[in-house]
Amino acid sequence: MSAPLFRKVLIANRGEIALRVIRACREMGISTVAVYSTADEHSLHVKLADEAVCIGPPRAKLSYLNIASILSAADITGADAIHPGYGFLSENAEFAKLCQACKITFIGPSAANIEEMGDKTRARRIAREAGVPLLPGTLSAVSGIEEAVEEAEKIGYPIILKAAAGGGGKGIHVVYSEDQLRSSFERVSSEAGAAFGNPAMYVEKYCEHPRHVEIQVLCDKHGNRISLGERDCTIQRRHQKMLEESPSPIMDQKLRESMSKAALKLCHAVKYENVGTVEFLVDEKKNFYFMEMNTRIQVEHPVTEMVTGLDLVKEQIRAAAGKTLKIKQSEIKIISHSIECRINAEDSERLAPSPGTITAYHLPGGMGVRVDSFVYDQYKVLPYYDSMIGKLIVHAPTRADAIAKMRQALDEFVVEGIKTNIAFHKKILSSKKFREASYDTHFLEEFLPKYE
Ligand code: MV4
């Protein structure tokens, strides 16, 4: 066997993604270092890694977000690379720079890439320059209410206010009139300031009934960049994705090719390296518009893995090590279907987390059924972190087959002692709208009252 790409990788994360990365490393002959907070002492990532270092108390700010602790852990264990997973430090340009300064490879894109895409208006300017379609809106942050009103007038209501340093569903607000804009601007802006340390806001035309479709890209450090097709993430609740699938039921080969081309134009413009996701909104007429780019491995990456047959975490590690992509665009053929359900420890009716001890745990199985999870019988789901306890992923020849397989797998999945959203997923999968794929981002808001 050839020498491993890295000697030792430190995984700066917890939960299922930490396990996902540890498994990939071990398969590649790379030693692993887990880091953990005192609350995570009994976590599987600690047991599965070759070494483990405690990096602080339960609160993420003091442990999984503690750059000094994590770099010290890498230093004392002699790690030559760090995988950040998703969330936590994964899109922190400062952290990526500090890794480099410590001669540790950050398994992700360059710090410059993270910065360029982290500033959402800068990303819009780069996209526009590259000829990627955008919704009408400002290309930089507005200076205050008056400029917001002026711009909104030009764009036409409804508009959406977004935090320039935001991303995902935080710091966004839909506005239907000047009155509404005047009465909400300061509040939304200061919320953004509190959440992101930057109150800057920009304005976009609000697309009323869109679908959320994102392109997975894979890029090396030698200018090779390919699209691995799309994921449909339209099924969200309070901007939390719940269920994702690939391919998107609204896509055809032509739309996939033009959206992929747009995503790759953006990547070329910034000399993007490593895995990334370019998010688009798709309107009723199937026009698509760039929203933002995520410069990390995403929670929903498995559905792309299932339909492409590629291990994205391994590809990520290969790219970070400077290897050339081993696949060509023409070799990517998407002919099957995959769906992922995020399994959360939550009370779906009250939309509240449900931490506590799992008193029974049984996983589904069979052909085309994958579970990426980190919990076990008697595991205590902690209140400090994300409520996702695992992901159930199915793979089948067609969308209808995948839905049937997911329903069966959800029926087999047993989690006792805490509340989960398993029953909620079953309802979604049996709904007419979902089965016909005739829904938009408001699906769950409209569906929920009927569920309760
Ligand atoms: C939008 C939009 C419509 N028009 N932007 C939500 C998460 C973040 N990535 C951006 N999001 C959206 N941005 C424009 N110009 C719709 C969403 C959106 C959404 C909005 C309201 C309620 C649910 C939603 C679910 C997904 C996306």
Side-chain angles (χ1 to χ4, degrees):
M1 226 176 80
S2 54
L5 296 176
F6 293 106
R7 219 160 31 80
K8 201 183 267 189
V9 169
L10 180 144
I11 297 94
N13 215 302
R14 64 181 301 281
E16 69 85 21
I17 194 63
L19 290 190
R20 172 74 189 84
V21 176
I22 292 168
R23 285 172 177 144
C25 288
R26 293 182 60 93
E27 287 172 32
M28 296 170 90
I30 301 169
S31 294
T32 52
V33 182
V35 293
Y36 63 99
S37 71
T38 51
D40 270 333
E41 198 185 344
H42 304 290
S43 282
L44 277 186
H45 74 288
V46 175
K47 298 190 215 303
L48 205 65
D50 298 297
E51 293 168 80
V53 181
C54 183
I55 49 164
R59 272 184 30 224
K61 198 121 199 92
L62 303 171
S63 50
Y64 297 104
L65 288 168
N66 187 335
I67 294 177
S69 291
I70 290 168
L71 289 176
S72 302
D75 185 39
I76 57 168
T77 55
D80 48 1
I82 295 183
H83 195 301
Y86 50 68
F88 298 126
L89 297 170
S90 61
E91 293 180 287
N92 185 316
E94 203 51 48
F95 180 61
K97 276 185 208 164
L98 286 169
C99 286
Q100 194 179 13
C102 297
K103 306 232 179 318
I104 294 168
T105 305
F106 175 81
I107 301 177
S110 66
N113 287 164
I114 298 174
E115 266 170 357
E116 285 156 333
M117 295 301 144
D119 176 344
K120 302 303 165 185
T121 67
R122 190 167 167 198
R124 271 174 71 78
R125 293 194 294 277
I126 295 166
R128 187 190 145 103
E129 198 67 29
V132 176
L134 293 176
L135 281 158
T138 61
L139 290 169
S140 51
V142 292
S143 55
I145 288 194
E146 294 311 323
E147 194 183 342
V149 168
E150 219 174 279
E151 291 294 336
E153 210 59 53
K154 282 192 242 164
I155 296 162
Y157 291 94
I159 57 110
I160 184 165
L161 279 173
K162 293 187 177 182
K170 279 185 253 154
I172 73 171
H173 186 65
V174 181
V175 175
Y176 288 90
S177 66
E178 180 177 335
D179 280 358
Q180 264 185 12
L181 179 53
R182 287 188 181 278
S183 66
S184 63
F185 185 88
E186 292 300 347
R187 179 178 48 80
V188 178
S189 174
S190 62
E191 278 167 13
F196 310 109
N198 178 357
M201 303 299 296
Y202 67 105
V203 180
E204 244 178 44
K205 176 83 192 168
Y206 180 58
C207 180
E208 299 213 54
H209 296 283
R211 291 185 68 119
H212 174 129
V213 179
E214 56 187 32
I215 297 285
Q216 175 71 56
V217 296
L218 171 60
C219 311
D220 65 19
K221 295 187 179 195
H222 310 282
N224 302 299
R225 299 184 181 93
I226 63 174
S227 159
L228 304 182
E230 78 284 359
R231 294 184 287 261
D232 194 309
C233 308
T234 303
I235 307 276
Q236 310 191 0
R237 205 168 160 200
R238 286 199 188 160
H239 305 295
Q240 286 286 97
K241 293 170 186 169
M242 267 199 82
L243 178 156
E244 305 94 351
E245 57 183 312
S246 183
S248 166
I250 60 156
M251 295 287 270
D252 50 47
Q253 194 52 28
K254 200 173 132 244
L255 186 55
R256 177 173 302 123
E257 275 167 25
S258 58
M259 204 182 281
S260 291
K261 209 168 157 187
L264 291 173
K265 276 199 265 183
L266 184 70
C267 294
H268 286 297
V270 296
K271 297 188 165 54
Y272 194 79
E273 38 187 68
N274 214 266
V275 300
T277 300
V278 184
E279 295 187 347
F280 294 96
L281 286 176
V282 184
D283 70 14
E284 290 116 312
K285 294 179 190 149
K286 298 206 181 174
N287 297 307
F288 63 86
Y289 307 96
F290 169 70
M291 231 186 345
E292 57 186 77
M293 180 168 190
N294 301 317
T295 56
R296 58 170 190 274
I297 189 83
Q298 288 193 267
V299 175
E300 60 271 27
H301 77 275
V303 294
T304 299
E305 298 188 317
M306 303 323 283
V307 298
T308 60
L310 282 171
D311 183 320
L312 284 179
V313 175
K314 285 187 187 169
E315 293 307 323
Q316 215 185 354
I317 294 169
R318 291 186 76 257
K323 294 285 171 191
T324 303
L325 290 192
K326 59 177 188 224
I327 43 262
K328 296 197 289 279
Q329 187 67 65
S330 59
E331 293 170 281
I332 302 297
K333 293 244 152 42
I334 290 147
I335 53 164
S336 56
H337 202 94
S338 180
I339 303 175
E340 169 179 282
C341 288
R342 298 189 185 194
I343 310 299
N344 298 335
E346 69 178 25
D347 179 336
S348 291
E349 269 149 73
R350 291 176 41 239
L351 242 171
S354 173
T357 302
I358 294 174
T359 55
Y361 194 61
H362 176 82
L363 295 181
M367 182 180 179
V369 177
R370 165 177 172 183
V371 183
D372 282 16
S373 176
F374 67 105
V375 303
Y376 47 84
D377 188 22
Q378 300 305 319
Y379 177 85
K380 204 167 149 202
V381 178
L382 302 168
Y384 315 105
Y385 312 110
D386 194 279
S387 66
M388 193 179 77
I389 58 168
K391 307 183 298 203
L392 172 57
I393 305 114
V394 299
H395 183 215
T398 68
R399 185 170 192 268
D401 294 329
I403 291 173
K405 198 179 280 288
M406 184 60 88
R407 294 177 82 186
Q408 175 59 29
L410 287 166
D411 277 341
E412 288 178 33
F413 211 141
V414 178
V415 183
E416 284 172 15
I418 56 166
K419 292 196 163 121
T420 75
N421 60 348
I422 291 174
F424 188 59
H425 275 302
K426 289 186 198 175
K427 301 266 183 186
I428 295 172
L429 285 154
S430 55
S431 76
K432 188 167 178 284
K433 270 192 174 172
F434 179 77
R435 299 171 74 86
E436 291 174 352
S438 61
Y439 54 84
D440 59 39
T441 49
H442 307 290
F443 173 67
L444 288 189
E445 290 160 41
E446 291 157 8
F447 179 71
L448 207 61
K450 284 171 235 158
Y451 172 74
E452 282 163 354

